[in-house]
């Protein structure tokens, strides 16, 4: 699926669509700094019924949110240097006990997702718009 974001309120439609298409409990978010990964996550969690304040887990590595469907864990793996650091935070435990795990900067962990089913969203900032692909 392809989307174009021209206005902040366009994120709402994307969040609604993504929720209706979720089949797996892992969502990889790819995009450069400032692309809108955390903004999308804010809209997604609001649509899942969370009243928690949503912010980037850049320094905490993982944030936990309560939703009407269950726990959502939001990861930012940007600062992790290797797969051992991913295992040190207990990634597998989170994957096993969540409604959804949203993983920003998943590249350090992607190889180990082999065999698992997940969704992937790419957000590209073109300067005027955001181009979104979701699968």
């Amino acid at each position: 699926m392809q989307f174009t974001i021209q206005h902040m309120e366009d994120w709402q439609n994307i969040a609604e669509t993504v929720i209706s298409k979720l089949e797996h409990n892992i969502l990889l978010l790819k995009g450069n700094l400032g692309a809108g990964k955390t903004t999308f996550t804010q809209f997604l969690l609001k649509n899942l019924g969370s009243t928690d304040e949503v912010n980037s887990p850049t320094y905490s590595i993982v944030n936990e949110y309560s939703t009407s469907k269950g726990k959502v864990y939001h990861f930012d793996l940007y600062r992790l240097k290797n797969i051992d650091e991913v295992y040190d935070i207990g990634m597998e435990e989170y994957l096993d006990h969540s409604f959804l795990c949203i993983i920003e900067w998943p590249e350090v962990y992607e190889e180990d997702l082999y065999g698992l089913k997940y969704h992937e969203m790419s957000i590209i900032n073109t300067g005027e718009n955001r181009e979104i692909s979701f699968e």
Side-chain angles (χ1 to χ4, degrees):
M1 303 177 79
Q2 304 291 320
F3 307 94
T4 299
I5 298 285
Q6 295 177 327
H7 307 285
M8 184 63 84
E9 43 291 343
D10 294 340
W11 287 109
Q12 176 63 29
N13 293 332
I14 293 173
E16 290 172 359
T17 302
V18 166
I19 289 169
S20 73
K21 302 294 182 189
L22 282 178
E23 298 175 359
H24 316 298
N25 76 324
I26 302 171
L27 172 59
L28 307 182
L29 286 184
K30 295 183 175 183
N32 54 1
L33 288 171
K37 297 179 296 291
T38 298
T39 299
F40 164 75
T41 301
Q42 290 169 336
F43 277 89
L44 185 77
L45 284 163
K46 181 180 176 189
N47 279 274
L48 287 171
S50 178
T51 58
D52 297 328
E53 182 179 338
V54 177
N55 50 46
S56 176
T58 301
Y59 296 103
S60 61
I61 309 295
V62 62
N63 290 341
E64 177 182 324
Y65 302 104
S66 296
T67 74
S68 58
K69 296 190 179 261
K71 294 286 184 193
V72 173
Y73 299 100
H74 180 198
F75 296 88
D76 184 330
L77 305 183
Y78 182 76
R79 297 183 319 127
L80 301 187
K81 294 173 181 42
N82 58 56
I83 193 66
D84 291 333
E85 292 182 335
V86 176
Y87 288 125
D88 287 346
I89 64 170
M91 179 64 82
E92 292 141 330
E93 190 74 20
Y94 288 108
L95 295 177
D96 289 343
H97 297 95
S98 67
F99 165 70
L100 182 63
C101 285
I102 301 166
I103 306 173
E104 295 187 27
W105 303 99
E107 290 78 7
V108 71
Y109 184 58
E110 226 166 344
E111 256 184 51
D112 281 45
L113 291 172
Y114 180 78
L116 297 177
K117 294 182 179 183
Y118 57 86
H119 297 281
E120 184 173 312
M121 177 180 275
S122 173
I123 305 171
I124 298 172
N125 183 350
T126 66
E128 295 179 18
N129 302 318
R130 303 289 198 280
E131 300 296 327
I132 315 291
S133 68
F134 172 78
E135 48 187 81

